Amino acid sequence: AQKITQTQPGMFVQEKEAVTLDCTYDTSDQSYGLFWYKQPSSGEMIFLIYQGSYDEQNATEGRYSLNFQKARKSTNLVISASQLGDSAMYFCAMRGIIQGAQKLVFGQGTRLTINP
Amino acid sequence: DTGVSQDPRHKITKRGQNVTFRCDPISEHNRLYWYRQTLGQGPEFLTYFQNEAQLEKSRLLSDRFSAERPKGSFSTLEIQRTEQGDSAMYLCATQAGALDTQYFGPGTRLTVL
């Protein structure tokens, strides 16, 4: 079974600072994918960034980057130069790369608040 | 806007009533998922369609829940005899291929009084 753990219920950061959101995972799959989604108060889950288990380089997407440490089974999200619009819930998720349903398993999320 | 739409966005119903939600996927996305998210939790998988075939259902999906995707395009999720415990956000996600990203709709927030 796959499991995602996000240990930070809430984070408070000053605008323009960088922030790191933690995520650890557990799986017996050899191949898997790791995702981060942002959920504003409106409720929609917005895809941010993806890391494949066999990707040798850490994924980056604009102000978002991942600190992927496979041996430690962690994939932390780094947001550089935070903005007020970054305030939201952030969810880490994973899926196996097997045939059939590619369902996502989510963590409990971290609520990020950016202070002006 | 990801292109996945859900209707209605909000639904308030009384216990015991039936409700139906609709999800319209991104065009040509043949994989469709339903998730449920309760307050303070991450989304949990309910069921999965590939084209019109429902290929997997979670144990969370009791016999009061039924989902369809009749022509492999839009999907509906029906809850019969709603209970207060069904109050949650119901999210639909679609995916082009097995290794592609899932894109979510805005969700339907259900409140059962």
Side-chain angles (χ1 to χ4, degrees):
Chain A
Q2 299 169 335
K3 185 177 180 180
I4 294 286
T5 302
Q6 294 180 255
T7 57
Q8 305 155 309
M11 290 277 287
F12 295 84
V13 173
Q14 286 298 119
E15 190 180 7
K16 300 181 184 176
E17 290 184 350
V19 56
T20 299
L21 305 182
D22 296 340
C23 173
T24 58
Y25 61 90
D26 191 20
T27 181
S28 57
D29 292 342
Q30 295 300 308
S31 299
Y32 49 89
L34 296 160
F35 300 79
W36 280 89
Y37 285 85
K38 172 184 178 182
Q39 188 176 42
S41 56
S42 59
E44 184 173 356
M45 299 286 285
I46 302 168
F47 166 70
L48 295 178
I49 193 167
Y50 166 79
Q51 180 87 43
S53 58
Y54 285 110
D55 293 341
E56 294 188 354
Q57 291 195 332
N58 287 335
T60 61
E61 195 69 51
R63 294 187 299 111
Y64 305 109
S65 61
L66 293 182
N67 181 7
F68 177 50
Q69 298 184 48
K70 191 172 181 178
R72 297 182 61 183
K73 293 189 174 180
S74 74
T75 178
N76 299 335
L77 175 69
V78 180
I79 306 174
S80 63
S82 58
Q83 302 171 356
L84 296 178
D86 294 332
S87 294
M89 285 291 290
Y90 288 81
F91 289 95
C92 179
M94 76 179 299
R95 68 161 187 233
I97 302 180
I98 56 173
Q99 295 214 354
Q102 302 295 306
K103 56 180 177 282
L104 293 170
V105 174
F106 286 85
Q108 290 193 304
T110 296
R111 180 173 298 281
L112 176 63
T113 303
I114 307 298
N115 295 316
Chain B
D1 183 3
T2 63
V4 181
S5 61
Q6 291 187 245
D7 184 70
R9 294 290 306 275
H10 302 273
K11 179 71 177 179
I12 299 174
T13 191
K14 293 182 179 179
R15 188 175 53 186
Q17 298 294 306
N18 298 344
V19 294
T20 300
F21 311 139
R22 177 179 170 125
C23 171
D24 286 90
I26 295 171
S27 178
E28 299 178 354
H29 278 200
N30 64 354
R31 293 166 179 250
L32 187 147
Y33 301 78
W34 285 98
Y35 293 84
R36 182 172 69 183
Q37 184 180 22
T38 53
L39 206 58
Q41 303 295 318
E44 295 176 290
F45 169 77
L46 289 179
T47 190
Y48 159 68
F49 289 86
Q50 185 168 336
N51 299 309
E52 66 276 8
Q54 187 175 18
L55 298 183
E56 187 168 340
K57 293 194 290 187
S58 162
R59 285 174 294 178
L60 292 175
L61 213 64
S62 76
D63 56 7
R64 295 185 297 106
F65 288 69
S66 62
E68 294 182 342
R69 196 181 182 198
K71 296 184 179 179
S73 56
F74 73 91
S75 175
T76 58
L77 178 68
E78 181 183 15
I79 309 174
Q80 295 182 329
R81 304 181 304 281
T82 52
E83 302 173 355
Q84 288 185 326
D86 297 330
S87 294
M89 174 78 90
Y90 290 83
L91 293 161
C92 172
T94 71
Q95 183 186 34
L99 299 184
D100 292 320
T101 298
Q102 290 181 28
Y103 292 96
F104 284 80
T108 294
R109 189 177 297 279
L110 173 67
T111 302
V112 182
L113 301 176

